[in-house]
């Protein structure tokens, strides 16, 4: 079972690919796709589309989990993040993966145990769950891995048992 | 000069391709891309991406003009429209077209002469500007043509003179 988590964004879009086999969960790939703030938004969205499609083509994830975009923080930023999440969703569907969305609170609850966990706590839990010696950097990549781990935690028990055999 | 206007949406995405040669402006193509409300959002965004890319490939517009998404009305709907606009922008950049965004007020001002024009007034102005015997239907297609006409009105005088020769 290979899950790609995505923390969508126009300037920085985090991705993290996690493999679960039996009780072992490991990070296969993690990083950040960056686009240039000086470029026009359509060009940046197109670059994001191409890079995500390439990543999905090379990793072939069974599922793609995307962090849901909320509008509480900043409407101006949320628009870019929403557009980036649209491009990411289309890329995932185009790659034939099942696509899931999780809210920030769901992700924090699943990974750190409570919905108000801060960045540091989330980073440490990602490190622990993957058995890493150091926290995963940059933070957008760690956030994306957390989305993938959230999906694994939300999968029905039946499919986890199936994946373990 | 071939301009494709897009009125982005997840359930209905209007498009209208307008050609301007000298003083003559004509509609080349107009219609609506619909996606099934029962399908998952990523699948719908992917279908929109494919249909828009096909359209742009067959029409080869010089410019794509997209109606800007505002958040005043309904945050839940705006998210889908924002995601659809992201997919449309990426498709336009991928097709090598220049991409422009116009606010609903800019479009109404450019086409009907004032920023508070209603749907009927906009429909009649689109009909008049294109010299049609009947209003263009469906309304999403007429809205998209209005975005394209708005772009033609906003082009600098220099490039209009160049296009007319």
């Amino acid at each position: 079972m290979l899950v790609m988590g995505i923390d969508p964004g126009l300037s920085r879009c985090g991705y993290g690919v996690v493999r679960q086999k039996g009780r072992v969960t490991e990070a296969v790939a993690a990083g950040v796709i960056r686009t240039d703030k000086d470029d026009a938004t359509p060009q940046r969205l197109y670059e994001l589309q191409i890079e995500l499609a390439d990543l999905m083509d090379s990793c072939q994830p069974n599922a793609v989990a995307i962090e849901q975009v909320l509008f509480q923080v900043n409407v101006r930023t949320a628009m870019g993040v929403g557009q980036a999440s649209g491009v990411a969703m289309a890329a995932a569907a185009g790659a034939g993966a099942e696509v899931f969305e999780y809210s920030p609170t769901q992700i924090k609850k699943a990974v750190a145990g409570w919905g108000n966990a801060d960045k540091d706590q989330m980073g440490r839990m990602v490190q622990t769950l993957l058995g890493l010696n150091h926290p995963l950097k940059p933070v957008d990549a760690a956030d994306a891995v957390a989305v993938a781990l959230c999906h694994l935690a939300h999968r029905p028990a039946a499919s986890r048992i199936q994946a373990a055999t």
Side-chain angles (χ1 to χ4, degrees), chain A:
Chain A
M1 179 72 184
L2 209 62
V3 180
M4 178 183 282
I6 294 178
D7 180 22
L10 191 53
S11 298
R12 297 183 312 278
C13 179
Y15 65 89
V17 184
V18 168
R19 178 184 289 123
Q20 189 179 56
K21 204 170 177 186
R23 285 167 178 260
V24 178
T25 304
E26 57 177 4
V28 174
V32 178
I33 300 166
R34 293 168 205 270
T35 66
D36 191 337
K37 282 184 185 180
D38 293 336
D39 287 344
T41 300
Q43 183 58 36
R44 298 170 74 187
L45 289 165
Y46 177 58
E47 285 169 20
L48 184 61
Q49 181 193 86
I50 296 296
E51 296 230 27
L52 284 173
D54 279 355
L55 263 174
M56 287 169 193
D57 189 49
S58 63
C59 294
Q60 300 278 329
N62 307 97
V64 173
I66 303 181
E67 181 165 339
Q68 208 171 15
V69 185
L70 303 177
F71 286 103
Q72 282 94 333
V73 192
N74 183 321
V75 169
R76 209 181 146 80
T77 312
M79 191 67 249
V81 181
Q83 289 172 327
S85 86
V87 164
M89 281 186 179
E98 273 201 287
V99 191
F100 301 86
E101 256 193 310
Y102 296 101
S103 71
T105 305
Q106 278 179 305
I107 297 163
K108 287 173 182 171
K109 267 191 191 158
V111 173
W114 67 308
N116 288 317
D118 63 24
K119 286 262 176 203
D120 272 358
Q121 290 170 317
M122 288 294 285
R124 280 197 299 275
M125 280 308 296
V126 166
Q127 180 187 348
T128 304
L129 290 167
L130 296 178
L132 304 173
N133 292 326
H134 301 285
L136 194 64
K137 297 267 170 126
V139 72
D140 305 86
D143 287 348
V145 166
V147 188
L149 293 172
C150 172
H151 176 66
L152 288 173
H154 275 81
R155 290 171 63 215
S159 58
R160 278 205 295 274
I161 291 162
Q162 196 180 20
T165 57

